[in-house]
Amino acid sequence: MKLDTVREDKAIENLTSRLAESFADIHTPEDIETAIRTARESFAGDPVRDYVPILIERIVRAELAPKPEAEEQPDGRDKWTRPAVALEAGDADGGTPTTPAGPGNPRRRIPIAIPAAVAGVLVVATIATVIAVRNGDDVQAQTGLTTVGGVIGSEKRAFFEDPDVKAALAKHGLEVKVDTAGSREIATSVDLGKYDFAFPSSTTAAERILQPASGRPAVSGKKYSVFSSPMAIATYQPIVDLLSATGIAKQVNGIWYFDVRKYVDLAKANWRWTNVRGNTTYPVNKRILITTTDPRTSNSAAMFLSIVSYVANHNSVVESAADEQKVVPLVAPLFVNQGYTDNSSEGPFDDYLSLGMGKSPMVNIYEAQFVEAAVQRKLKPGMVLMYPSPTVQSKHTLISLNGNGEKLGELLSTDAELQQLAARHGFRTADKSQFANVVNQYDVPVAKDVIDVADTPTYDALERLLDAVSKSYR
C-alpha cells in the first residue's frame, strides 16, 4: 500500500525552515536539507508515520549541533575529544563508535559528536520509539503515550500537526489525534461520543455544545479558553487602494481598517466593483462582498454575522425579535449573494493564498491564519491584513468530554511551551509578549491592541439570527 505522506511532507517542509533559521550561522541550507533527507530515508517504508518528523528532527539537530572543540593543555597537547558516534538501531549502547559506512558496510548512519551519556539516552529513546512505530503495534502500549482524540475547527489543524506541538504534548504523555469540522457543525451535528474533547472556535459554539440537544447525550465537560483571534479581512494592496479612495478603508499607524457601516450601505445599494470611480485595477462586474464561510456550519461566518448585525442594528447588540426582523433583510444578502461557500475557514483562505484576487478580493478570516501564513513564508507581495471596524474576538474554547480532555485543556491553557507554539501559529495567548515576539520576528503588520470590538449576541439570539439567515438560502 502506498503511504500518504502529504502531512509528513508539510511537517518536513516546516522542519527545514526551522532548522535553517536555527543553524543559519554554522550550516548552509544545502547541508541542512541533505541531513534531513538522509535521516528521512532511514525510515523509508515504515507504515506508521506519526513520529517520523519528530525522530528526524531529534537526529538532525544532534548532527548539526556545534561539536566540542579540542582544548590546548599546558604541555602543548590537545585535550582528548570524544570522536563522532554513528547512531543506528543496532548500536544500542551508544558508547562505542561504529565502523564508518563504506563499500564493505552499506548501513546508513549520521555521525553525531555528543557525550556518551547523552548519546546513550538519545539512542535508547529513539530506538524505543522506532520499534513502536515500525512494528505497527499498539503505539500507546509501546511508548507510554495516552491517545487523546478530538474534533476541532480547521484553522487549528496546523497547530496540532506541528511536530514541535506533538513533541511538547508527548513530554506530558499525550498523543493528540484530531478530526476537523465547522464549529457550528461541532456544536450541533457532530457525534461527540467518540471524542475526548471538542475545540470549536468561539465561546458561543462551546456553550452550544454544553446545551441539551435532541439526539445527543448531555455534555457536562469543563470549558477552557485556550487562545483567541480577532476576526480580520485578508485582501490585496490594489483592493485596499480602491477602498481607501471610497473612504471604506483607512490606515492608522500602518494598520488598515475597514468601515463596516459603509460596507453594509454599499451592499444594500447593490454596488459592484465597476461602480467605483476610477477603478482600473479591478474592473470586475461583481458585487462588492466579503467572502465568508457558510453561516449554517461555520463559526467564522457566525462571527461575521455578529459584526454586521451589530452595525445594522445601529451599533447595538441584537437582542429582541424586533431587532432581528430589522437587521436580517440587511445582513442576509451579504451571505446569500456570495453563492457557494465553504463549510470551514480553511478553504477560503487557501484560495486566497493560491488563486489571487480574481476569485475573492476580500476574505473573512481569523487574524491567526494570516500570521501563521507569514511565519510559514506563504504570503506573497501585495497581500494585506485589514481589520473590520468594529470586529469581534473569537475565543477558541476547548470543551473536555472526559478526564483525558481535561488534561489536554489544562495543558493548552497553562503550559508555557504550548502557549508559545500557539503564538507561532498566530494565536493570541494570555501572555501578550509571546504573540508580540512572533509578529515582530516575522514583521507582520498587526494591531497591537484590538480596541474597536463589538459584543456578540447571546447564544440564543445568535442562533435565531443564524436560523433566519439560513432560511434566506431557500
Side-chain angles (χ1 to χ4, degrees):
M1 180 180 68
K2 184 178 179 180
L3 293 173
D4 180 4
T5 61
V6 174
R7 293 185 181 182
E8 182 180 313
D9 290 342
K10 182 61 182 174
I12 295 300
E13 178 184 334
N14 292 339
L15 171 60
T16 303
S17 298
R18 291 199 308 276
L19 294 181
E21 291 180 10
S22 299
F23 295 100
D25 294 338
I26 56 176
H27 290 288
T28 66
E30 291 76 15
D31 289 341
I32 294 169
E33 291 173 3
T34 298
I36 291 174
R37 183 172 59 253
T38 302
R40 191 180 188 186
E41 287 172 355
S42 67
F43 297 100
D46 291 319
V48 182
R49 312 295 299 182
D50 288 348
Y51 287 94
V52 169
I54 298 173
L55 296 174
I56 291 173
E57 180 166 5
R58 180 183 297 169
I59 293 170
V60 174
R61 280 190 180 277
E63 179 191 5
L64 299 178
K67 308 301 186 289
E69 297 181 356
E71 298 179 10
E72 187 173 335
Q73 300 300 298
D75 59 5
R77 295 177 299 170
D78 287 340
K79 182 179 179 180
W80 179 85
T81 303
R82 177 171 296 279
V85 177
L87 298 185
E88 72 170 287
D91 302 326
D93 58 41
T96 304
T98 60
T99 305
N105 184 13
R107 295 178 296 172
R108 183 180 291 108
R109 300 177 179 80
I110 299 176
I112 305 173
I114 53 177
V118 178
V121 171
L122 179 59
V123 175
V124 171
T126 302
I127 293 171
T129 311
V130 171
I131 289 173
V133 172
R134 293 189 176 183
N135 284 347
D137 296 328
D138 183 355
V139 174
Q140 178 178 343
Q142 295 286 348
T143 65
L145 298 180
T146 299
T147 300
V148 183
V151 56
I152 66 172
S154 62
E155 70 287 334
K156 294 182 283 289
R157 187 212 305 265
F159 172 76
F160 283 104
E161 290 181 348
D162 186 336
D164 289 345
V165 173
K166 287 178 177 285
L169 290 168
K171 293 177 184 177
H172 298 278
L174 299 183
E175 178 192 15
V176 177
K177 300 285 189 180
V178 295
D179 295 326
T180 61
S183 290
R184 197 161 185 244
E185 286 181 302
I186 297 173
T188 59
S189 59
V190 171
D191 177 13
L192 300 180
K194 59 183 179 179
Y195 296 112
D196 301 304
F197 70 96
F199 201 175
S201 304
S202 72
T203 302
T204 305
E207 289 176 352
R208 175 69 184 267
I209 292 172
L210 295 173
Q211 296 288 328
S214 59
R216 170 182 283 181
V219 173
S220 58
K222 294 184 179 180
K223 187 167 63 175
Y224 301 87
S225 295
V226 178
F227 31 67
S228 66
S229 181
M231 302 310 300
I233 300 168
T235 185
Y236 307 86
Q237 192 61 54
I239 299 300
V240 169
D241 294 339
L242 286 175
L243 296 174
S244 178
T246 62
I248 299 177
K250 65 178 180 179
Q251 193 175 33
V252 179
N253 296 325
I255 306 300
W256 284 100
Y257 294 91
F258 180 87
D259 190 324
V260 178
R261 172 77 266 172
K262 292 182 178 179
Y263 168 67
V264 172
D265 290 342
L266 286 182
K268 182 181 178 181
N270 199 30
W271 263 52
R272 297 172 180 265
W273 289 103
T274 49
N275 295 128
V276 178
R277 182 177 299 177
N279 177 7
T280 58
T281 56
Y282 192 69
V284 179
N285 191 29
K286 294 169 60 175
R287 289 186 176 93
I288 298 177
L289 291 172
I290 295 174
T291 299
T292 71
T293 46
D294 191 330
R296 294 168 290 185
T297 59
S298 172
N299 176 73
S300 61
M303 293 295 96
F304 188 70
L305 176 59
S306 297
I307 296 171
V308 294
S309 65
Y310 176 88
V311 171
N313 197 37
H314 304 292
N315 291 344
S316 298
V317 177
V318 172
E319 296 178 327
S320 65
D323 291 340
E324 295 163 16
Q325 292 174 2
K326 179 173 59 180
V327 304
V328 168
L330 296 174
V331 301
L334 303 178
F335 300 93
V336 177
N337 288 342
Q338 294 178 53
Y340 170 79
T341 49
D342 279 275
N343 289 334
S344 65
S345 58
E346 189 175 37
F349 189 64
D350 285 347
D351 288 346
Y352 168 77
L353 292 175
S354 60
L355 300 181
M357 67 183 183
K359 181 178 184 295
S360 301
M362 297 185 291
V363 181
N364 178 59
I365 64 168
Y366 299 101
E367 175 196 64
Q369 292 176 282
F370 196 93
V371 175
E372 180 183 57
V375 171
Q376 297 176 355
R377 312 293 188 189
K378 290 183 177 180
L379 298 182
K380 299 180 179 67
M383 289 182 166
V384 177
L385 180 69
M386 186 163 55
Y387 292 90
S389 181
T391 187
V392 294
Q393 285 280 5
S394 186
K395 296 180 180 179
H396 297 254
T397 305
L398 184 147
I399 300 295
S400 64
L401 304 176
N402 55 35
N404 287 337
E406 287 183 16
K407 183 176 181 180
L408 178 63
E410 291 287 347
L411 280 174
L412 292 177
S413 302
T414 61
D415 184 80
E417 181 180 8
L418 287 167
Q419 292 261 300
Q420 189 277 328
L421 290 169
R424 197 171 75 189
H425 283 271
F427 296 105
R428 296 180 183 239
T429 64
D431 184 352
K432 291 184 179 181
S433 66
Q434 295 172 326
F435 181 78
N437 290 339
V438 170
V439 297
N440 288 337
Q441 179 182 354
Y442 292 93
D443 195 25
V444 191
V446 302
K448 179 181 178 182
D449 296 302
V450 181
I451 299 173
D452 190 5
V453 178
D455 293 324
T456 57
T458 63
Y459 160 76
D460 290 330
L462 184 57
E463 282 300 303
R464 289 194 300 268
L465 275 173
L466 288 166
D467 288 341
V469 171
S470 297
K471 291 177 182 177
S472 300
Y473 282 87
R474 300 166 191 160

